[in-house]
Amino acid sequence: RKAKAISDEHGFVNVQILNRHFEIMTQNWICNVRHLKDIEYGVEIFAQTLFIALESRTVDVLSKYGADINVALFPYYNSDKLQYGHVEYYKLMLFRSKLIQEILASGINILLTEADATWLHNPLPFIANYSKLPGNFPNGDNNLATGVDMVLMDDKPYSRMVQGGFMLLKSTPAT
């Protein structure tokens, strides 16, 4: 419900999905982004962001940062042995993918971000105006709003590996 309300107002919702293993990093991100409000529209970052907590304790931790923090709980079993490359990590990534697909299927556009990125400027006004940006797409459609379903970052130059921490996903039949 919160995601739909944010998306209806802003055209998309900035989503961060986290569990207890990412709480400290997310708290740091919140403090960094809150600092941007004095520089450039940073107060809008929280109005457009939904933190999806996988544990109730994470809801409690994030809620302490103010009434402007939007948090929703989607319970998921979290192993204490969560390590990149292990089966528990891949189960979490599968759950996350299914959750993202469910949100997209509800007609909600998503900017999927992660707290390990430092924002020096607020990218949300840029993303909100993505329909005005020129594109150069194989289908000949030069409008970023209609020419693509996803806008992705390459994780490493020349690796052709998608960066999962900053993705714009439009709710279309293809996504």
Side-chain angles (χ1 to χ4, degrees), residues 104-121:
L104 290 167
S106 299
I108 299 168
N109 297 322
I110 299 173
L111 174 64
L112 182 64
T113 62
E114 292 181 349
D116 63 351
T118 301
W119 290 14
L120 301 177
H121 300 282

Side-chain angles (χ1 to χ4, degrees), residues 20-37:
R20 68 178 158 226
H21 300 285
F22 300 97
E23 286 173 3
I24 293 173
M25 192 180 317
T26 303
Q27 291 172 72
N28 184 51
W29 186 87
I30 289 170
C31 292
N32 179 56
V33 168
R34 195 172 295 284
H35 169 72
L36 292 178
K37 75 178 181 179

Side-chain angles (χ1 to χ4, degrees), residues 119-132:
W119 290 14
L120 301 177
H121 300 282
N122 181 358
L124 300 186
F126 175 80
I127 300 295
N129 292 317
Y130 69 93
S131 63
K132 300 173 187 165

Side-chain angles (χ1 to χ4, degrees), residues 1 6 12 19 21 33 46 48 57 59 62 65 70 83-84 87 124-125 127 140 142 149 152 160:
R1 205 175 327 171
I6 294 169
F12 67 95
N19 61 15
H21 300 285
V33 168
F46 297 125
Q48 291 176 252
R57 68 164 270 159
V59 172
L62 296 183
Y65 280 84
N70 298 300
Q83 284 186 309
Y84 178 79
V87 71
L124 300 186
I127 300 295
N142 285 329
D149 299 311
L152 310 169
R160 301 196 110 30

Side-chain angles (χ1 to χ4, degrees), residues 141-153:
D141 186 341
N142 285 329
N143 184 328
L144 189 56
T146 57
V148 296
D149 299 311
M150 300 184 292
V151 178
L152 310 169
M153 286 181 15

